[in-house]
Amino acid sequence: MIKKSAFGLAWVLNLTQRNIQANSLSPLFNFQFQASRVSVNPSLYCHQASKEYNWNSVRSYYSGIHPKSGLPEGKHKFSKMSSVANGNDTVFKRLPQKVVPVNYDLTFEPDWSSHTFEAVAAIDVQVKEATDVVIVHAVDFTIGNITYRGKDDDEQLEAEIFILDVEQEILKINFPRTLPQGVGTLTISYSGEVKDNLRSFFRSKYKGPSGEERFHYATKFEPTYARGCFPCWDEPSVKATYDITLVVPKNLVALSNMPVKSDVPHPTNIDRKIVKFERSVKMSTYVMAFAIGEFDFVEDRTPDGILCRVYTPVGRKDRGAFALEVVVKSLAYYKKYFGIPYPLPKMDLLAVAEFGSGAMENWGLVIFRENRLLVDNQLSSAASKQTAAIVVAHETAHMWFGNLVTMEWWSDLWLNEGYASFMEYLCVDALYPEYEIWNWFMADYISVLEMDASATSHPIQVAVENPAEIGSIFDFISYVKGAAIIRMVHDYLGDDKFKEGMSHYLSKNLYGNAQTKDLWAALTEKSGKNIDVIMPTFTEQMGFPVFTVTNIEQLEQKKIITLSYQKFWLDSGAKDANQKKYRWITPLTVRKKSDPAGVALKTLVNEDADVEFKIDVDSIEGEWVKLNADHIGYYRVIYPTAVLESFIPSIKSKELQSSDRLGLLDDLFATVKAGRASSDVVLKFMLAFINEESDAVWSAIFKVVTAYDTLLLGTSLHEKFQSYALSLLSPTAKRLGWNKKENENSQDSVLRTSILTKMVSLGCTDTIEQAKSLFSQQIRGDITISADVKSAVYRAVATEGESGFESLLKVYRNSDFLEEKVRIIASMGSVKDIKVIQKVLEFGRSNEVNMQDIVTILMSLNSQGKHDICWEYFKSNWEFFRDNFPTGHFLINSVVKNVTSGFKTDEMAAEIENFFKENQVKGIDRSLSQSLEKIRIMKTWLERDSSCLQTFLSSY
């Protein structure tokens, strides 16, 4: 490998182009060539086999070059040198398909002391078209040797040259002669590092029994990180089977997608063992997985005999019992629902302390971050238990949506994530109806509507090529909008027809790949309805429609409703750059007061002009009609003020369904934020919810409260608004209290957590003092605080400054439960003293805190109005975030969104924009654009509504 001199690299490339044989080489200084004529990409690194070219003549000049491998002496890895080739932006291309994998036989031997590994990849391939070049994905390797042997060949062919292009993340292998069509084995020996950045093959840090630092090893390959662990065709459509072998310390547990085939002592190393796994089913690279570490487990079987295990850190297996229950039930539920059995003989769930996302759906070995999987009967809140159920059901759904049938390319990511996000709720609602879990979905649903109304949104189906771009679409649009439109289809078709269509889609594409059009075709075929015409209007363009009720009149026993129809923009001044005409074919529903749980009308709207329809109604006083029954349709509705006020009695009496109450409030708030109604209208309307009981409706109330708390921060109206908000929340906080009631429903348990936490955040003195008192009683050993109220208690303690911070640190250090640790970290944003905030940030970067939790700390500080502090901290430490979080990953996008949000001036927008122009971070463009748009919207909103807010809050 030559990387010290582009001059030397040009010479190597020039030799290749001119096909100069070794025996004709003159001494280096006498060899004549024109380097200026050679186009060189400085991110290319080359190796040439010594038998083909006289490397000894090169080695006499380039000291340190190994005579056989052509690599520098010692341990090195290929590393990035440039992000631009020849002055042009890199154009990414998918791999050629002349050669494709059939089976990967992979052997890994990690070294725990150096956090490195040695590996051999013996890949059975099919040569579909004769070629002398094989191109695979690879990055961060030191290559030892590359050979190819055809199935019927006696001779092993050694690669004469291989080039690693770090920008394209590909390894280009040249052989001395053409590989004929047929099958053979490509063998690559190599070495690499076990990474510390939560991707590829990485180490997850945890504390041992005596507080010492230990590590699990695990993998995270989605979306394009498999290439950092083994050379491969790292694209979802290029599927193959896998034989995995792990050479590991004999005291550790080794896991992979499939069951263990053999587990034998190492023949020459008594401290190691060799674990081989059964051959996998055909699958994509990103769902292959393995893990090594100290684990306990609990196990059970599904009714049809699938072995399920939940692996936990040693001594914590009891905390895996609930997740085990959920996965056993989920596998049975999905098998029945889709009519397709789970195809593997086992299903493992593994909890590790550090993981770059909540969980990853590796086939047969799903890896979770501990706080998303483990549930402690004493230490976990009701919300955390329900979260575990949702996450396990989501990842289990991926065994069908994503693993069994995979999107053809990342542009259709939502086929995986949107469907799994819908099915998780359908599944948990069926298994645990007492959770009323669709309430949780509504909180996400109203958030994605806000995101999708921005000018910086994107369609569900979005073209991506550059690996750095792929991570940015793992967002609410792919997950929640995807789930929301599937929920709309499910409602439109009915469960039976929907189920038939889904089973048909899966059966038709088993072990293969699909595109969005394949899904719509399957649903159309089985339902007889034109889903293939309706749904592309929601997946191929961003945003959604808003129906404005322009007139409602009563004519005898009918109400005649007239609607106008257009795209909803959060920024009312925003227009599409090309003035594109947005149109949706929208399933629209209507319900009425005399049947508040039924649907009076279900129709499709596809008109360019105004829409008119009639509803049969009872001639009773106060009969209302409401569009979008249960708020299932992916659209908004704007009502005239008089019509909106007619709903208030039914809101107070709760005659309106909770989902409809939520929908009315959220649609109104969106119109206010977009400048189509004034702020005093929504604040007045929200008073109708003062005795609200549904946690779903409260999620909409909290959204409004948080938005105005941020908007008015730093103004003379902030304190007045907080008083208004506390008067709205206090009756419910008082009703719930600090302790769980006998026979309490799950909604109240979850709501207690959120409402008391919000009371503390709003500065309620009585709530803060009571929380501090509870903390003191627990420290003395007089009581044990319920997990449902710990978030509020810890945030209150954090307001005490340094003494509170130290008290929380003590609790943090004494806990071995990640949920508790994250809860404490999330409370630290309530610290007010600037010196203590600096200690909090230093703590976030310490070895005591898992790497991704610095994001949690920044989110907490930002949520408490410390926007300037977060931004300054990021600017001072931006290299840390750039270098430690994977390019384009949701973690770096989350950091950028948080540290740039909350501002509302043109000056700050300009400063943020200029900073990122000067300091390039790949894969954050969409997040940055969204933040800048939010700043502009906040600025306009504050200027527009300051006067009416002043009048309302002063008189309230």
Side-chain angles (χ1 to χ4, degrees):
M1 178 177 71
I2 299 175
K3 65 178 181 179
K4 292 184 179 179
S5 170
F7 178 86
L9 180 58
W11 179 78
V12 173
L13 291 176
N14 206 27
L15 287 180
T16 306
Q17 292 170 358
R18 295 165 66 168
N19 196 26
I20 298 176
Q21 298 300 313
N23 57 14
S24 68
L25 284 179
S26 303
L28 180 62
F29 292 108
N30 296 327
F31 180 66
Q32 301 296 313
F33 69 98
Q34 293 187 10
S36 61
R37 297 178 60 186
V38 182
S39 177
V40 180
N41 181 346
S43 66
L44 299 178
Y45 303 114
C46 299
H47 160 74
Q48 294 183 333
S50 59
K51 70 176 184 179
E52 184 68 22
Y53 299 114
N54 188 351
W55 273 98
N56 289 326
S57 66
V58 180
R59 191 159 59 95
S60 65
Y61 183 72
Y62 289 95
S63 59
I65 299 295
H66 192 281
K68 181 177 180 181
S69 69
L71 299 174
E73 300 278 8
K75 289 198 172 185
H76 294 270
K77 64 178 182 178
F78 296 118
S79 59
K80 174 182 172 184
M81 290 185 67
S82 173
S83 61
V84 178
N86 300 322
N88 299 315
D89 290 340
T90 304
V91 177
F92 286 84
K93 298 179 181 179
R94 295 174 66 172
L95 293 183
Q97 301 295 299
K98 292 181 179 181
V99 181
V100 293
V102 176
N103 180 71
Y104 294 88
D105 190 338
L106 306 174
T107 300
F108 300 93
E109 183 170 4
D111 184 330
W112 244 257
S113 61
S114 63
H115 299 306
T116 59
F117 67 92
E118 302 288 334
V120 176
I123 311 169
D124 292 336
V125 298
Q126 180 183 7
V127 181
K128 299 169 73 173
E129 182 179 336
T131 180
D132 63 351
V133 177
V134 178
I135 302 176
V136 299
H137 285 117
V139 68
D140 292 338
F141 295 153
T142 297
I143 305 292
N145 191 43
I146 302 178
T147 62
Y148 178 82
R149 185 190 296 272
K151 181 181 179 182
D152 300 320
D153 292 348
D154 294 329
E155 180 186 358
Q156 180 171 272
L157 197 60
E158 185 172 351
E160 68 172 3
I161 181 170
F162 46 88
I163 304 172
L164 186 68
D165 184 335
V166 179
E167 285 302 328
Q168 294 283 343
E169 299 183 342
I170 60 173
L171 176 65
K172 183 177 181 182
I173 308 164
N174 287 77
F175 288 95
R177 66 170 183 265
T178 299
L179 309 183
Q181 283 186 320
V183 295
T185 301
L186 176 70
T187 302
I188 305 174
S189 61
Y190 64 101
S191 60
E193 292 183 1
V194 181
K195 298 175 177 62
D196 61 356
N197 59 3
L198 308 178
R199 67 177 178 180
S200 193
F201 183 21
F202 72 96
R203 55 190 188 267
S204 178
K205 179 180 63 182
Y206 69 101
K207 298 291 184 183
S210 303
E212 74 279 13
E213 187 174 78
R214 293 188 181 182
F215 296 95
H216 300 309
Y217 283 177
T219 58
K220 170 66 165 65
F221 292 155
E222 188 182 42
T224 57
Y225 304 142
R227 64 193 65 177
C229 180
F230 61 102
C232 57
W233 285 254
D234 199 10
E235 297 175 3
S237 63
V238 188
K239 293 188 171 185
T241 55
Y242 292 82
D243 293 313
I244 307 297
T245 301
L246 302 177
V247 183
V248 301
K250 65 181 181 181
N251 63 312
L252 298 183
V253 176
L255 303 170
S256 189
N257 304 82
M258 300 298 290
V260 172
K261 181 179 181 180
S262 64
D263 184 336
V264 298
H266 195 284
T268 60
N269 188 335
I270 61 172
D271 296 322
R272 293 197 157 236
K273 62 182 178 180
I274 301 174
V275 183
K276 293 181 178 290
F277 297 89
E278 293 178 8
R279 177 166 291 187
S280 77
V281 296
K282 192 177 179 182
M283 62 187 181
S284 303
T285 51
Y286 78 92
V287 293
M288 192 278 270
F290 57 89
I292 309 161
E294 298 176 297
F295 305 122
D296 280 343
F297 66 86
V298 288
E299 69 176 31
D300 196 1
R301 289 184 182 272
T302 65
D304 54 348
I306 303 298
L307 177 64
C308 299
R309 286 179 174 176
V310 176
Y311 285 87
T312 74
V314 173
R316 304 175 197 173
K317 65 180 183 180
D318 290 347
R319 293 173 179 168
F322 178 67
L324 180 65
E325 174 188 304
V326 177
V327 72
V328 168
K329 290 182 176 180
S330 295
L331 285 172
Y333 174 83
Y334 291 130
K335 175 189 174 183
K336 181 179 180 182
Y337 195 88
F338 300 131
I340 298 172
Y342 174 71
L344 303 189
K346 62 96 173 176
M347 176 73 158
D348 292 337
L349 312 184
L350 169 64
V352 295
E354 290 187 300
F355 198 63
S357 55
M360 177 58 212
E361 66 268 20
N362 313 302
W363 215 348
L365 176 58
V366 185
I367 303 179
F368 299 74
R369 196 174 184 215
E370 278 186 44
N371 61 322
R372 288 292 181 264
L373 183 69
L374 304 186
V375 173
D376 188 288
N377 291 332
Q378 299 300 317
L379 299 175
S380 291
S381 66
S384 295
K385 186 173 184 179
Q386 292 181 29
T387 296
I390 280 289
V391 176
V392 171
H394 178 99
E395 303 306 328
T396 308
H398 273 310
M399 301 304 110
W400 284 263
F401 287 96
N403 299 3
L404 188 62
V405 178
T406 311
M407 75 261 153
E408 196 276 335
W409 182 246
W410 297 104
S411 299
D412 283 314
L413 170 69
W414 87 280
L415 281 177
N416 288 11
E417 299 302 348
Y419 259 87
S421 296
F422 169 74
M423 290 306 303
E424 70 188 58
Y425 287 98
L426 204 65
C427 176
V428 173
D429 187 52
L431 301 181
Y432 303 96
E434 67 274 15
Y435 289 173
E436 299 184 65
I437 204 67
W438 282 109
N439 287 340
W440 281 52
F441 177 77
M442 297 308 292
D444 284 346
Y445 170 63
I446 62 177
S447 295
V448 80
L449 282 172
E450 179 169 350
M451 175 186 286
D452 201 23
S454 69
T456 50
S457 184
H458 63 84
I460 286 180
Q461 293 174 262
V462 56
V464 290
E465 292 297 334
N466 188 327
E469 297 173 346
I470 296 171
S472 70
I473 62 171
F474 280 77
D475 63 3
F476 256 36
I477 299 297
S478 296
Y479 282 74
V480 184
K481 182 177 180 179
I485 67 167
I486 291 303
R487 186 178 183 228
M488 184 169 66
V489 172
H490 177 265
D491 180 70
Y492 179 64
L493 297 181
D495 189 64
D496 289 342
K497 291 296 182 184
F498 177 82
K499 194 186 305 183
E500 285 183 45
M502 295 314 306
S503 180
H504 181 54
Y505 164 78
L506 291 170
S507 299
K508 193 173 182 179
N509 298 288
L510 288 178
Y511 300 102
N513 298 81
Q515 297 176 310
T516 297
K517 64 181 181 180
D518 301 315
L519 175 62
W520 300 149
L523 288 169
T524 297
E525 182 178 340
K526 291 300 178 180
S527 70
K529 296 187 177 181
N530 294 329
I531 301 302
D532 55 348
V533 176
I534 298 168
M535 294 314 298
T537 66
F538 284 91
T539 57
E540 294 177 6
Q541 57 186 350
M542 70 180 195
F544 52 86
V546 56
F547 294 100
T548 301
V549 178
T550 57
N551 188 49
I552 299 181
E553 59 179 304
Q554 181 109 17
L555 183 63
E556 296 179 348
Q557 298 293 105
K558 295 184 184 296
K559 278 192 181 288
I560 303 172
I561 304 166
T562 307
L563 309 174
S564 65
Y565 170 75
Q566 63 188 120
K567 184 187 185 303
F568 183 79
W569 294 99
L570 193 59
D571 179 354
S572 56
K575 299 294 180 185
D576 186 85
N578 299 313
Q579 293 298 302
K580 177 180 176 181
K581 188 175 184 181
Y582 290 87
R583 281 290 145 190
W584 292 265
I585 304 174
T586 311
L588 186 142
T589 56
V590 184
R591 69 179 12 151
K592 56 186 180 180
K593 185 178 190 298
S594 53
D595 186 13
V599 178
L601 176 69
K602 182 181 290 188
T603 187
L604 281 177
V605 176
N606 186 27
E607 284 84 0
D608 290 344
D610 287 354
V611 182
E612 183 180 288
F613 53 86
K614 299 176 181 179
I615 301 290
D616 292 326
V617 295
D618 298 334
S619 57
I620 60 173
E621 185 179 351
E623 176 76 286
W624 46 255
V625 291
K626 180 195 175 290
L627 280 69
N628 202 0
D630 285 322
H631 216 49
I632 289 175
Y634 196 74
Y635 54 90
R636 289 201 182 278
V637 182
I638 299 177
Y639 299 93
T641 302
V643 175
L644 197 62
E645 290 176 350
S646 71
F647 291 115
I648 289 177
S650 294
I651 292 171
K652 290 180 176 180
S653 68
K654 301 176 182 63
E655 181 181 35
L656 270 164
Q657 300 294 302
S658 61
S659 52
D660 290 324
R661 302 197 299 273
L662 173 149
L664 286 170
L665 175 59
D666 192 59
D667 281 350
L668 174 59
F669 177 57
T671 64
V672 169
K673 200 167 182 181
R676 300 178 66 167
S678 60
S679 287
D680 56 335
V681 173
V682 72
L683 295 184
K684 181 180 178 182
F685 186 74
M686 205 156 59
L687 294 174
F689 297 85
I690 198 164
N691 291 311
E692 181 57 57
E693 296 177 354
S694 166
D695 63 324
V697 181
W698 272 107
S699 68
I701 298 171
F702 292 145
K703 177 182 172 183
V704 179
V705 168
T706 300
Y708 279 105
D709 195 38
T710 302
L711 180 72
L712 298 175
L713 182 68
T715 73
S716 59
L717 296 175
H718 188 238
E719 188 174 339
K720 291 179 180 179
F721 173 76
Q722 289 193 323
S723 296
Y724 161 86
L726 287 171
S727 70
L728 183 66
L729 274 61
S730 292
T732 300
K734 184 177 180 180
R735 175 180 71 83
L736 294 172
W738 290 87
N739 299 307
K740 185 175 182 178
K741 310 293 192 298
E742 188 175 354
N743 298 320
E744 180 175 274
N745 63 49
S746 63
Q747 283 198 64
D748 279 354
S749 298
V750 172
L751 182 54
R752 178 178 292 108
T753 299
S754 54
I755 204 159
L756 290 175
T757 301
K758 181 61 73 174
M759 294 284 285
V760 172
S761 296
L762 289 168
C764 178
T765 304
D766 290 345
T767 306
I768 291 171
E769 292 306 313
Q770 194 165 357
K772 290 179 181 178
S773 174
L774 290 172
F775 185 78
S776 297
Q777 292 176 61
Q778 177 167 278
I779 295 299
R780 294 196 302 268
D782 297 339
I783 63 168
T784 298
I785 301 173
S786 166
D788 289 337
V789 300
K790 280 185 174 181
S791 290
V793 168
Y794 293 159
R795 289 183 188 230
V797 171
T799 64
E800 293 183 331
E802 186 156 6
S803 62
F805 175 61
E806 293 297 332
S807 296
L808 291 174
L809 276 185
K810 187 174 181 180
V811 177
Y812 180 93
R813 288 166 176 159
N814 288 335
S815 177
D816 70 345
F817 192 36
L818 189 58
E819 178 187 325
E820 178 81 338
K821 287 178 175 288
V822 172
R823 186 185 289 132
I824 293 168
I825 287 170
S827 75
M828 291 183 176
S830 295
V831 171
K832 300 184 183 304
D833 186 284
I834 185 65
K835 292 182 180 178
V836 183
I837 291 174
Q838 294 303 320
K839 288 187 175 183
V840 169
L841 290 167
E842 290 171 9
F843 169 68
R845 289 278 297 277
S846 71
N847 287 331
E848 291 189 77
V849 177
N850 293 329
M851 185 184 297
Q852 63 265 49
D853 284 330
I854 184 62
V855 183
T856 306
I857 288 176
L858 289 172
M859 291 174 65
S860 178
L861 288 165
N862 198 61
S863 72
Q864 295 301 298
K866 301 172 179 70
H867 314 303
D868 292 329
I869 293 172
C870 291
W871 174 239
E872 291 302 321
Y873 180 78
F874 176 80
K875 286 194 297 181
S876 300
N877 297 274
W878 79 273
E879 294 96 339
F880 166 80
F881 294 105
R882 179 199 62 192
D883 296 342
N884 284 281
F885 291 137
T887 299
H889 194 271
F890 84 90
L891 282 172
I892 187 63
N893 278 279
S894 180
V895 170
V896 170
K897 285 181 180 180
N898 275 278
V899 301
T900 57
S901 67
F903 297 111
K904 37 190 179 279
T905 66
D906 290 335
E907 291 77 14
M908 280 308 304
E911 179 180 327
I912 290 166
E913 192 166 17
N914 289 334
F915 176 84
F916 285 105
K917 283 181 180 177
E918 296 171 3
N919 303 283
Q920 295 292 319
V921 182
K922 286 187 176 182
I924 63 158
D925 290 352
R926 182 171 284 117
S927 295
L928 179 59
S929 296
Q930 289 169 348
S931 291
L932 294 172
E933 183 183 9
K934 285 180 180 179
I935 293 172
R936 291 190 293 271
I937 290 172
M938 292 276 280
K939 172 183 176 291
T940 302
W941 183 17
L942 183 60
E943 291 173 349
R944 183 180 63 234
D945 279 9
S946 288
S947 178
C948 71
L949 283 166
Q950 174 72 46
T951 301
F952 176 82
L953 293 172
S954 296
S955 62
Y956 174 72

